[in-house]
Amino acid sequence: MDPGLHVKQAINHLNKVLAYYPYVAADGEATVALTPEDWGVVADAFFHMGTPPEVFPDAIASYRLSDDGAEIQLTATDGTLIHVQAG
């Protein structure tokens, strides 16, 4: 799949999250904030556009929206749970 511009931008944001989370990780978890607009782009790509998982960075083992919809929860391939919040 050739991702469109919206998905490419989401991947760009995810790569920044993946580069940053090791600096704030503790006890297997990290919290990273994106601007509300950037968070929305990532949420769209994950949950509203039917983007196949293989398009996203390989360092993401799984992803889900929290039960309250307030954050995207990524599990990195190293096992770290990354809470991506709009902030």
Side-chain angles (χ1 to χ4, degrees), residues 15-48:
N15 282 327
K16 289 178 184 179
V17 167
L18 292 167
Y20 180 72
Y21 87 85
Y23 296 103
V24 297
D27 301 321
E29 293 192 29
T31 300
V32 178
L34 294 173
T35 67
E37 294 82 9
D38 293 347
W39 188 93
V41 168
V42 173
D44 284 348
F46 274 142
F47 309 114
H48 303 294

Side-chain angles (χ1 to χ4, degrees), residues 46 57-64 72-77 80-82:
F46 274 142
D58 291 338
I60 298 172
S62 66
Y63 57 88
R64 67 181 290 273
I72 299 167
Q73 298 172 343
L74 308 176
T75 302
T77 53
T80 303
L81 176 61
I82 307 166

